Amino acid sequence: PSRGLGDVYKRQTKTTAARMYRTFNKIYRTGEAAKISNSPIITKTGQKKHIELSATLIWDAAGRPLGFRGVARDITAQKKATRALHQSEERFRLLIEGSIQGVIIHSKLKPLFVNQAYADIFGTSIDTILNMPSILSLYAPDEQKRLLGYMNARLQNKPAPNQYTCQGVNKSGAPIWLDHRVHKVEWWGKYAIQITVYDITKRKRAEESLKHRSMELRERIKELDCLYGIAEIIENLAATDPEIFQRSVGLIPPALQYPRIACARILINQDNYQTPNFQPTQWALTSVIKACNQEVGRLEVCYLKKRPLRDEGPFIHEERRLVDAIARRLDKVVERAFAERTLRESKEKLRHLSASLLKAHEKERRRIAYG
């Protein structure tokens, strides 16, 4: 068969000529069809092309080989496109491997590519992630269902967010917060998903801290409003006016963590001042009210429903300080009322004594005058 190739061999590279020679000899010996895939050739004009060649033997009536019948397909453009794609993907790979942001490419959640930054976010290695059957194990259990839903939606060409925040889990099991930017890519000729991941754990913690501090500030403002309101009531009413206690007790529940289920009452000797919803419960704070170092009553604050345990039952330290601060202000009200009552009683006694003394003087003068 080699003699039949003629000047075809003269135009080919040594490698291609050798492949063609071996292939045609194989066909001649076995009588079976053969194929040369992706073989470079030189045309008459000297142009280099890539072909895919399939050939079979031609037999005469006596069963003797006459020659070869072949079909050649020009795959030069396809070869160039494939090479260009591989070069592009290689440049892309080199680019994202050096990115400071985490990048992962997956197909149906099976990792295809991971850069070092992504592995560092989770505190593990690239090889460990690439060997995972699914990236879902890198995320908190509560997040896995949501991420699976996003993937299924994309596979079905349904709407799915291209940016979202979710919670991951690093190698030590600690939670980390991640911002995801997602888009479709073609990876080695197949559909895939690329995710650029930003570690926002520090920012999330800062936001949570700010949120917590803002909440604490609002709670402290509520407490200050309560104390200011009670101070204003005390200032505008006489210490002996029982309205002080009734109006003061109504300001206490709104200053607590859970105002809707809070109630309060003030007991002064035998007098009871309470909010309309008051009822004693096991979730209570109590502070004694004193006058002249003697217990004269108490302030009680209760929650009507169970709440998570805090510093003192469901109550926090700040609520304990608030209840004690209100009780100390009521101490002064009771002491002032006691002092005013004592002073009034003393004045009344003095008035009676003065009247009795005047009567005695008048009686003595009449006795002397009428001797």
Side-chain angles (χ1 to χ4, degrees):
S2 61
R3 290 192 300 272
L5 294 177
D7 53 328
V8 174
Y9 277 107
K10 298 178 182 178
R11 296 196 303 270
Q12 308 313 314
T13 63
K14 291 183 179 181
T15 302
T16 300
R19 288 184 65 188
M20 293 176 68
Y21 181 82
R22 288 195 301 270
T23 302
F24 284 115
N25 268 288
K26 180 181 177 182
I27 297 171
Y28 188 78
R29 289 194 312 271
T30 64
E32 297 176 354
K35 182 178 182 180
I36 302 176
S37 59
N38 190 20
S39 182
I41 65 167
I42 307 298
T43 66
K44 286 184 178 181
T45 60
Q47 185 180 5
K48 185 177 180 180
K49 290 190 175 183
H50 289 266
I51 64 167
E52 183 178 81
L53 178 64
S54 299
T56 59
L57 269 175
I58 301 174
W59 307 87
D60 63 11
R64 292 172 300 196
L66 291 177
F68 297 97
R69 178 185 295 114
V71 178
R73 187 166 66 94
D74 187 350
I75 60 171
T76 306
Q78 179 183 339
K79 182 71 175 179
K80 289 181 179 179
T82 302
R83 185 185 300 113
L85 176 62
H86 288 180
Q87 289 175 346
S88 176
E89 290 178 341
E90 181 64 16
R91 288 194 297 269
F92 172 76
R93 184 185 65 81
L94 293 174
L95 176 64
I96 60 178
E97 275 185 347
S99 172
I100 62 173
Q101 304 300 341
V103 178
I104 184 170
I105 297 174
H106 70 82
S107 175
K108 297 182 180 180
L109 300 175
K110 176 66 177 76
L112 303 176
F113 171 84
V114 177
N115 73 348
Q116 188 62 50
Y118 186 89
D120 290 343
I121 287 173
F122 291 92
T124 186
S125 66
I126 292 175
D127 289 340
T128 299
I129 296 176
L130 289 176
N131 288 326
M132 291 179 175
S134 169
I135 62 172
L136 286 180
S137 59
L138 296 171
Y139 295 87
D142 293 342
E143 302 282 14
Q144 294 180 11
K145 184 177 180 180
R146 178 163 68 106
L147 297 178
L148 186 60
Y150 290 165
M151 184 206 70
N152 290 332
R154 291 190 179 91
L155 291 176
Q156 299 170 19
N157 292 320
K158 294 180 179 180
N162 294 323
Q163 179 177 354
Y164 53 86
T165 299
C166 64
Q167 187 178 2
V169 182
N170 65 17
K171 187 177 181 180
S172 64
I176 51 177
W177 286 97
L178 307 169
D179 183 55
H180 288 56
R181 312 292 173 89
V182 185
H183 62 273
K184 299 178 182 179
V185 295
E186 187 176 332
W187 186 254
W188 297 102
K190 295 183 180 180
Y191 167 82
I193 295 292
Q194 177 187 326
I195 306 176
T196 302
V197 180
Y198 301 82
D199 187 349
I200 59 170
T201 304
K202 290 183 179 179
R203 189 185 81 189
K204 193 72 176 179
R205 288 174 179 169
E207 289 175 354
E208 290 295 326
S209 177
L210 180 60
K211 181 180 178 180
H212 179 69
R213 291 180 181 180
S214 298
M215 183 184 69
E216 284 188 334
L217 180 59
R218 288 194 297 270
E219 292 298 315
R220 301 298 81 76
I221 290 174
K222 285 164 53 180
E223 294 166 5
L224 290 173
D225 286 344
C226 175
L227 291 174
Y228 176 78
I230 292 174
E232 191 174 27
I233 292 170
I234 292 172
E235 182 180 351
N236 293 329
L237 295 178
T240 55
D241 190 342
E243 190 69 14
I244 287 181
F245 303 108
Q246 190 59 55
R247 290 173 59 182
S248 295
V249 79
L251 296 178
I252 298 173
L256 302 178
Q257 291 181 91
Y258 311 107
R260 293 183 180 180
I261 58 168
C263 59
R265 75 173 173 181
I266 298 172
L267 298 173
I268 302 293
N269 295 322
Q270 302 302 317
D271 298 324
N272 184 358
Y273 310 91
Q274 63 185 37
T275 57
N277 65 335
F278 182 82
Q279 59 179 347
T281 69
Q282 59 182 310
W283 310 293
L285 275 182
T286 301
S287 188
V288 173
I289 299 174
K290 296 181 179 180
C292 302
N293 293 324
Q294 298 294 321
E295 181 178 339
V296 296
R298 64 182 183 273
L299 168 61
E300 297 178 359
V301 176
C302 301
Y303 280 132
L304 302 176
K305 296 180 181 179
K306 184 178 180 180
R307 282 296 178 265
L309 294 178
R310 299 295 296 274
D311 304 320
E312 192 170 338
F315 297 95
I316 58 176
H317 289 313
E318 288 76 11
E319 289 174 317
R320 161 55 69 188
R321 288 199 291 266
L322 173 65
V323 171
D324 288 343
I326 294 173
R328 300 295 72 77
R329 280 161 175 75
L330 296 179
D331 286 351
K332 295 178 181 179
V333 172
V334 176
E335 286 183 351
R336 194 175 75 188
F338 178 77
E340 289 179 2
R341 189 178 298 112
T342 302
L343 179 60
R344 187 170 61 251
E345 291 174 354
S346 297
K347 287 181 178 180
E348 187 64 23
K349 288 180 181 180
L350 181 60
R351 186 178 65 79
H352 284 297
L353 181 60
S354 297
S356 298
L357 185 59
L358 287 175
K359 287 180 181 180
H361 285 171
E362 183 62 26
K363 184 178 180 180
E364 181 65 19
R365 282 197 298 270
R366 285 198 301 268
R367 186 185 67 78
I368 294 173
Y370 294 102

